[in-house]
Amino acid sequence: MPAAQRTSVAASASVRPLAEADLDRADEIFRVAFGTFFGAPEPETFFGAADYVRTRWAADPHAAFAAAVEGEVVGSNFAADWGSVGFFGPLTIRPDLWDQGIGRRLMEPVMACFDTWQSRHVGLFTFSHSPKHLELYRRYGFWPRFLTAVMKKQVTVRATTPGRVLYGELGAAERPGALSLCRALTEAVYEGLSLEREITAAQAQGIGDTVLLQGAGSGLDGLAVCHCGAGSEAGEDVCYVKFGAVRPGPGAAERFERLLDACEQLAAEKGLGQLDAGVNLARQDAYGRMADRGFRTWLQGVTMHKPNEAGYSHPDAYVIDDWR
């Protein structure tokens, strides 16, 4: 397509909040876009029973955006607020409109979200082998750092993990205190980091639960926000650890092993056969311990950070996430 025509398409695209009535179309485009990129024979069925569009819209409708051309939705993008940390995605465009500037239009509202939230460290997960993706995000100040491995293992029955509590089993009066303990733990991992929105969204939508590991004192040793099964970001027969972390400092490696045990225990209790978890390769020991347990990489990408700093991806961090 000539440059003038590409410019015309981008200029004619309007960007607005993604409405509930748009979700079916946005989900269809999301699947076809990824399926086309990966060369799937039936791209419209890509990701199977996993749902990224409806779950992320429900978690924060004010941070979900649609691009439309002549009134028809042609793409979407989502921003996530984790306190001082923010990330975005999936950003997807209808394949016949790729490389026409619509992706840049959908970047504008998510960058505005980060400004409004005063996010200190923001990022994304993208394909390390795709120059066009790296260049698009570089224009907004993001820089590629370490690879991130999205890993999986078959669930095996494990003994009960000492000190494990599920957020969903707590009474309404207990939950505010639990969220406060979660904030204290994530603050210790990275100043201002908060997973409260993910914890409450998983509970409200009924798509998973949050594992809490009680410590020897009054605090937490670890937490993991898990999506479970079809209709969540995990998909059929999968438990997906969207975020997990343990209290840093001496003994963190052992706490991380307990957290992995507790996540696998949850998967077994839910009758799910596969456990998925992503880890940035800058977290060397965390990655090594997962590999030693039988986790194997099935998807690999690169995280891009703004500013070009480690954030909480460094050798001393025992954190599970992948920013997909």
Side-chain angles (χ1 to χ4, degrees):
M1 181 177 289
Q5 191 173 346
R6 290 198 300 270
T7 302
S8 174
V9 171
S12 67
S14 60
V15 176
R16 57 170 173 77
L18 185 69
E20 187 170 8
D22 300 324
L23 294 180
D24 285 350
R25 181 59 177 150
D27 179 76
E28 179 186 350
I29 292 169
F30 156 73
R31 294 175 189 278
V32 169
F34 275 102
T36 300
F37 184 83
F38 283 109
E42 297 181 342
E44 66 277 2
T45 65
F46 204 71
F47 285 109
D51 192 327
Y52 285 74
V53 168
R54 295 174 186 84
T55 55
R56 297 198 179 182
W57 181 86
D60 190 355
H62 300 293
F65 304 96
V69 173
E70 296 181 350
E72 180 184 354
V73 172
V74 298
S76 61
N77 198 8
F78 303 82
D81 180 7
W82 287 4
S84 61
V85 175
F87 72 95
F88 70 87
L91 191 169
T92 52
I93 310 295
R94 205 175 72 195
D96 63 306
L97 295 176
W98 284 354
D99 303 321
Q100 297 181 37
I102 297 174
R104 291 196 298 274
R105 296 295 309 278
L106 279 168
M107 285 296 299
E108 295 163 5
V110 300
M111 298 306 292
C113 281
F114 298 142
D115 288 342
T116 299
W117 298 336
Q118 298 182 320
S119 307
R120 198 171 85 230
H121 190 76
V122 296
L124 64 125
F125 175 101
T126 193
F127 307 110
S128 55
H129 65 289
S130 173
K132 77 172 184 178
H133 286 87
L134 299 183
E135 178 58 22
L136 169 62
Y137 302 131
R138 186 196 64 80
R139 295 180 183 184
Y140 293 89
F142 294 94
W143 195 256
R145 294 185 63 91
F146 279 84
L147 295 175
T148 287
V150 183
M151 309 176 80
K152 65 181 179 181
K153 76 178 296 291
Q154 293 304 299
V155 173
T156 57
V157 178
R158 293 183 176 270
T160 300
T161 307
R164 192 202 76 154
V165 176
L166 296 180
Y167 179 80
E169 294 177 349
L170 300 177
E174 299 173 287
R175 290 181 179 179
L179 292 174
S180 179
L181 293 177
C182 290
R183 284 193 298 273
L185 188 151
T186 53
E187 276 270 0
V189 171
Y190 185 80
E191 184 180 1
L193 176 64
S194 173
L195 270 292
E196 182 172 345
R197 188 180 296 275
E198 295 292 345
I199 294 168
T200 57
Q203 186 63 33
Q205 296 179 53
I207 57 174
D209 211 332
T210 298
V211 171
L212 307 175
L213 286 185
Q214 295 176 323
S218 59
L220 292 179
D221 275 353
L223 68 88
V225 183
C226 299
H227 284 213
C228 299
S232 73
E233 293 179 23
E236 191 74 36
D237 199 34
V238 177
C239 176
Y240 165 52
V241 185
K242 184 163 185 178
F243 180 90
V246 299
R247 177 168 49 84
E254 290 72 25
R255 291 189 287 275
F256 188 65
E257 296 279 6
R258 277 179 62 213
L259 186 66
L260 292 171
D261 283 344
C263 292
E264 193 156 358
Q265 181 185 339
L266 174 65
E269 290 171 351
K270 296 286 188 181
L272 302 171
Q274 181 175 304
L275 181 63
D276 282 18
V279 63
N280 189 277
L281 297 189
R283 309 167 197 155
Q284 293 169 264
D285 194 51
Y287 170 78
R289 289 174 181 274
M290 292 174 66
D292 289 345
R293 281 176 167 256
F295 280 93
R296 294 295 179 263
T297 301
W298 64 269
L299 175 67
Q300 185 168 275
V302 64
T303 52
M304 298 184 70
H305 294 204
K306 179 182 179 178
N308 184 17
E309 298 173 354
Y312 54 82
S313 290
H314 53 78
D316 294 330
Y318 291 86
V319 176
I320 297 168
D321 72 351
D322 56 55
W323 287 354
R324 277 184 292 160

